[in-house]
C-alpha cells in the first residue's frame, strides 16, 4: 500500500568558499550516493523488550487500545495529505526550516530540500550528504546553518567520526549558500566548544547571530571543558559568511567551583539532569526575549544586545522535569511552554506508569516587567493517548499555530505522533487534534516517530525520524484563521511576530 494514500480514520481509546580543501558539499541525485554515510552518527540500536512487555503490547493492540504496527490513526479534523519516505539520506530525520515554497529537512546524514508549492505532492530539489549528528537546521536569506554535535575528523562533509579526546577533532557550525536551492554550496565552518547540538538565529540586516547550544563537557575533551555553563555566540556577516566567528561565550549559570551555578542534578536532585550548558534556545526578536531550555534549568533572557544575552529569571522543577529540552513563547510573550525530554527521546514514557506530569510540557506565565519579569508555573500538558511500551514517546519540538486571541500549538511526540493543543488558559490545556502511527514494532523498542511538527502557511509539516516527511492539514474552526497568515521564512526557534 502506498504511504501517500489517505488511511481510514480510526478512533482510539484513551487510556564564500573557505580556503580549506575539505569544505565541499556532496549533492545526492536520484542515482547511487556518491559517499557512504558514517554509521558513527547513527542513534543507539534497537532494544529488545521482555516477553511480558511484548504480550501486553499485543493485548493492547487486540483490544483496540493501541493501533496495529504502523497503522495511521488521526482525529476527524486532521487530514494526512502525503508522506515522502527517506531516500538517499538514510539517517535519522531531525529538524525543519522553511523559506518561501521550500522546506529544509535535517537528517543525521545531511539535509534535504523540498519544493512544497504543492503541499500534497512535495518534490525533492536537493539532497546534501554531510554527516554529523544531529544536523539541526535553519535558514536566513541565502544562508543555511547546520549544527554538528559529533566529534569529526575534520570540518568537511567527507569527515568521519574521531574521538573528542583528540585536539584535532572538530565539531560546531556549518554554513551553506542556498541562493540556488538545487545546488547548496558549503561556504564556512566555525568550531564551537562542545560542538553544536542545536542553534538559534538572531537575524539582523547585515549579520546573523547564532546562539549555539551544547552540553556534556568532559575534562578529557580538549575543546569541551567543564563547567561549560554558557553558549557560544557566532557572528555571520551576510555578505562575507567566510568571516563567521565566535564573538562571545556568555556564562548563563555563574557559580564557584568546577560545576558552575546551574542545577547540580543527582544526588542533590535525583532524576534531574545536571546543567552543563543548554539544549535549546528560542528567541523572540520582536520582544528582545529568549527562553532557554538548559538541561536542569529553564531561563528567560534579555537579548537586546544579541552579542551579550543576559539572564532575567531562572527556574527549576526538581519533581517532574528531568531534562529541559525546548521552549515556545505564545504570541503575546506572556507565556512560555517548556518541554521535558524524559528518557532522552529513546524511552517509552507516554504510558500509565509514567503518568501525566513527567515527560510533559510545562506551561509558565511571564509576570512583571523589564528585568523583574518572572517565570511562574501554571500547569502541565501531556497527550493522554497512552502509547505502547515499545514506542519512544515524549514531549518534543513544536510551533505556534497563529490565531489572534488564542494560544494554539502543534507538537511532535516521537511515536506519540503529532498533537494540536490549546493553552489559552494556562491552567487548563487541552488537545484538539492528533495524528499518529501504531508502534513500529510490537516486539522491540525501535526509535522513530515525529521529531519536529510545525505549522507553516496553512499546513503542518512533520519530519518523522524513520518514516520520512509528512504533510498534514487541519480543518477546525479554532485553527482556521491561521490559514490567512503567510510567512516568507520560518525557523521555529526564531519565533516571528505573526501579527505585527
Amino acid at each position: 500500500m502506498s504511504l501517500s494514500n489517505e488511511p481510514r480514520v480510526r478512533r482510539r481509546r484513551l487510556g564564500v568558499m573557505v580556503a580549506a580543501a575539505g569544505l565541499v558539499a556532496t549533492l545526492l541525485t536520484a542515482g547511487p550516493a556518491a559517499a557512504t554515510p558514517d554509521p558513527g552518527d547513527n542513534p543507539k540500536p534497537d532494544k529488545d523488550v521482555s516477553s511480558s512487555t511484548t504480550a501486553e503490547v499485543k493485548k493492547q493492540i487486540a483490544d483496540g487500545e493501541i493501533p496495529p504496527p504502523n497503522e495511521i490513526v488521526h482525529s476527524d479534523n486532521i487530514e494526512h495529505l502525503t508522506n515522502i519516505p527517506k531516500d538517499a539520506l538514510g539517517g535519522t530525520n531531525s529538524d525543519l526550516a522553511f523559506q518561501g515554497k521550500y522546506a529544509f529537512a535535517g537528517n543525521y546524514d545531511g539535509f534535504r530540500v523540498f519544493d512544497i508549492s504543492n503541499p500534497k505532492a512535495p518534490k525533492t530539489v536537493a539532497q546534501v550528504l554531510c554527516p554529523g549528528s544531529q544536523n539541526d537546521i535553519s535558514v536566513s536569506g541565502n544562508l543555511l546553518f547546520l549544527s554538528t554535535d559529533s566529534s569529526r575528523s575534520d570540518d568537511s562533509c567527507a569527515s568521519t567520526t574521531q574521538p573528542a579526546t583528540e585536539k584535532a577533532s572538530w565539531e560546531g557550525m556549518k554554513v551553506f549558500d542556498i541562493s540556488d536551492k538545487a545546488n547548496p554550496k558549503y561556504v564556512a565552518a566555525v568550531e564551537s566548544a562542545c560542538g553544536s547540538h542545536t542553534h538559534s538565529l538572531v537575524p539582523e540586516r547585515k549579520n546573523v547571530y547564532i546562539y549555539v547550544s551544547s552540553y556534556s563537557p568532559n575534562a578529557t575533551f580538549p575543546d569541551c571543558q567543564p563547567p561549560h555553563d554558557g553558549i557560544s555566540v557566532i557572528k555571520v556577516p551576510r555578505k562575507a559568511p567566510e568571516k563567521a566567528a565566535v564573538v562571545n561565550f556568555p556564562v548563563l549559570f555563574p557559580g564557584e567551583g568546577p560545576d558552575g551555578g546551574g542545577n547540580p542534578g543527582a544526588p542533590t536532585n535525583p532524576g534531574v539532569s545536571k546543567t552543563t550548558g543548554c539544549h535549546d534556545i528560542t528567541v523572540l526578536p520582536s520582544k528582545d526575549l529568549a527562553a532557554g531550555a538548559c538541561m536542569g534549568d529553564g531561563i528567560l533572557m534579555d537579548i537586546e544586545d544579541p552579542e551579550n544575552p543576559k539572564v532575567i529569571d531562572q527556574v527549576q522543577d526538581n519533581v517532574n522535569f528531568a531534562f529541559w529540552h525546548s521552549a515556545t513563547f505564545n504570541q503575546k510573550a506572556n507565556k512560555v511552554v517548556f518541554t521535558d525530554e524524559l528518557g532522552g527521546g529513546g524511552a517509552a514514557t507516554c504510558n500509565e506508569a509514567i503518568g501525566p506530569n513527567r515527560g510533559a510540557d510545562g506551561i509558565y506565565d511571564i509576570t512583571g516587567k523589564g528585568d523583574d519579569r518572572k517565570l511562574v508555573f501554571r500547569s502541565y500538558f501531556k497527550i493522554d493517548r497512552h502509547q505502547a511500551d515499545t514506542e519512544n514517546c515524549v514531549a518534543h519540538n513544536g510551533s505556534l499555530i497563529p490565531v489572534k486571541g488564542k494560544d494554539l500549538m502543534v507538537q511532535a511526540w516521537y511515536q506519540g505522533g503529532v498533537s494540536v493543543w490549546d493553552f489559552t488558559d494556562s491552567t487548563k490545556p487541552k488537545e484538539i487534534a492528533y495524528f499518529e502511527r501504531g508502534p513500529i514494532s510490537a516486539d522491540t523498542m525501535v526509535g522513530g516517530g515525529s521529531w519536529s511538527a510545525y505549522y507553516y502557511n496553512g499546513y503542518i509539516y512533520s519530519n518523522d525520524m524513520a518514516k520520512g516527511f509528512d504533510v498534514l492539514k487541519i480543518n477546525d474552526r479554532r485553527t482556521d484563521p491561521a490559514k490567512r497568515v503567510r510567512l516568507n521564512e520560518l525557523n521555529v526557534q526564531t519565533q516571528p511576530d505573526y501579527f505585527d
Side-chain angles (χ1 to χ4, degrees):
M1 183 179 71
S2 171
L3 284 172
S4 62
N5 290 341
E6 173 64 19
R8 65 189 178 92
V9 177
R10 185 174 183 271
R11 284 291 181 190
R12 289 198 55 166
R13 298 178 188 176
L14 293 181
V16 249
M17 298 301 294
V18 174
L23 294 186
V24 177
T26 304
L27 282 174
L28 302 180
T29 64
T36 303
D38 184 0
D41 286 324
N42 289 339
K44 295 179 180 179
D46 303 339
K47 295 182 294 186
D48 291 332
V49 296
S50 67
S51 57
S52 60
T53 295
T54 297
E56 177 61 23
V57 171
K58 290 181 177 179
K59 181 179 184 300
Q60 290 172 321
I61 292 171
D63 291 345
E65 296 176 8
I66 302 292
N70 298 302
E71 180 178 309
I72 290 176
V73 297
H74 57 81
S75 55
D76 292 334
N77 53 356
I78 286 274
E79 294 180 68
H80 183 219
L81 300 184
T82 192
N83 169 270
I84 309 298
K86 291 192 292 187
D87 192 1
L89 299 176
T92 298
N93 282 338
S94 56
D95 211 359
L96 295 168
F98 304 88
Q99 187 181 86
K101 66 177 185 178
Y102 298 100
F104 303 83
N107 179 287
Y108 276 46
D109 289 337
F111 65 93
R112 194 171 181 178
V113 183
F114 292 101
D115 181 335
I116 55 171
S117 51
N118 179 0
K120 293 182 179 180
K123 298 177 181 179
T124 298
V125 175
Q127 294 191 73
V128 177
L129 178 62
C130 197
S133 69
Q134 56 186 2
N135 279 338
D136 189 49
I137 194 167
S138 61
V139 294
S140 184
N142 288 331
L143 300 177
L144 179 148
F145 305 92
L146 208 62
S147 286
T148 299
D149 191 35
S150 58
S151 187
R152 314 295 302 178
S153 56
D154 55 50
D155 59 11
S156 78
C157 285
S159 67
T160 58
T161 56
Q162 183 167 287
T165 53
E166 295 186 24
K167 177 63 178 175
S169 296
W170 183 92
E171 52 187 317
M173 291 299 308
K174 297 170 181 171
V175 185
F176 291 76
D177 183 327
I178 54 168
S179 51
D180 179 355
K181 302 297 188 291
N183 293 283
K185 296 178 181 179
Y186 186 6
V187 297
V190 181
E191 186 170 17
S192 56
C194 299
S196 174
H197 192 73
T198 67
H199 69 271
S200 308
L201 304 184
V202 185
E204 295 187 335
R205 186 172 62 86
K206 293 183 179 181
N207 304 298
V208 180
Y209 288 96
I210 309 175
Y211 290 169
V212 177
S213 296
S214 56
Y215 53 93
S216 295
N218 190 297
T220 67
F221 299 166
D223 299 317
C224 184
Q225 292 286 297
H228 190 72
D229 273 343
I231 58 174
S232 297
V233 179
I234 296 174
K235 182 179 180 179
V236 185
R238 291 188 183 275
K239 293 184 178 181
E242 74 279 6
K243 296 181 180 180
V246 175
V247 293
N248 195 14
F249 186 87
V251 175
L252 305 179
F253 304 97
E256 297 181 1
D259 295 329
N263 198 315
T268 304
N269 297 315
V272 179
S273 293
K274 175 183 176 180
T275 298
T276 59
C278 290
H279 178 275
D280 210 347
I281 293 171
T282 293
V283 302
L284 190 58
S286 64
K287 301 292 194 298
D288 290 330
L289 279 177
C294 303
M295 305 180 72
D297 296 85
I299 58 175
L300 186 67
M301 292 187 288
D302 182 323
I303 60 168
E304 183 176 7
D305 178 355
E307 289 191 21
N308 297 281
K310 64 178 182 179
V311 176
I312 297 172
D313 194 27
Q314 174 182 355
V315 292
Q316 298 177 354
D317 179 346
N318 294 318
V319 176
N320 289 313
F321 259 47
F323 188 93
W324 296 65
H325 176 274
S326 54
T328 303
F329 287 100
N330 69 333
Q331 178 58 31
K332 291 183 178 180
N334 59 8
K335 299 176 188 175
V336 181
V337 174
F338 288 102
T339 68
D340 171 27
E341 194 184 42
L342 175 69
T349 71
C350 297
N351 51 29
E352 187 175 3
I354 298 298
N357 296 336
R358 299 170 63 212
D361 296 316
I363 304 167
Y364 286 74
D365 285 352
I366 300 175
T367 64
K369 296 180 179 181
D371 289 352
D372 292 327
R373 283 173 286 193
K374 299 293 182 183
L375 292 164
V376 180
F377 173 77
R378 294 304 187 202
S379 68
Y380 298 106
F381 169 76
K382 188 174 182 180
I383 57 172
D384 56 3
R385 294 170 283 109
H386 285 163
Q387 306 297 305
D389 284 345
T390 56
E391 293 181 279
N392 59 309
C393 175
V394 74
H396 215 238
N397 294 353
S399 76
L400 289 185
I401 298 179
V403 175
K404 272 191 174 181
K406 297 290 184 181
D407 295 326
L408 305 175
M409 187 171 173
V410 58
Q411 186 174 2
W413 290 77
Y414 288 119
Q415 285 194 68
V418 175
S419 176
V420 179
W421 57 290
D422 184 334
F423 63 104
T424 306
D425 183 340
S426 300
T427 65
K428 296 180 180 179
K430 58 183 179 181
E431 183 174 76
I432 61 175
Y434 69 88
F435 166 90
E436 67 165 291
R437 293 178 170 91
I440 295 174
S441 171
D443 304 294
T444 306
M445 169 61 77
V446 181
S450 180
W451 178 292
S452 299
Y454 299 147
Y455 187 92
Y456 178 70
N457 291 354
Y459 297 87
I460 294 169
Y461 298 90
S462 167
N463 213 17
D464 188 291
M465 294 167 64
K467 300 296 184 181
F469 184 69
D470 287 305
V471 185
L472 311 174
K473 186 176 183 180
I474 182 167
N475 297 292
D476 189 286
R477 60 178 177 78
R478 292 164 289 190
T479 61
D480 284 347
K483 296 176 182 179
R484 298 190 292 269
V485 178
R486 286 291 181 268
L487 300 176
N488 187 50
E489 195 169 87
L490 177 64
N491 301 293
V492 169
Q493 287 74 35
T494 303
Q495 282 191 221
D497 190 331
Y498 290 99
F499 305 111
D500 188 12

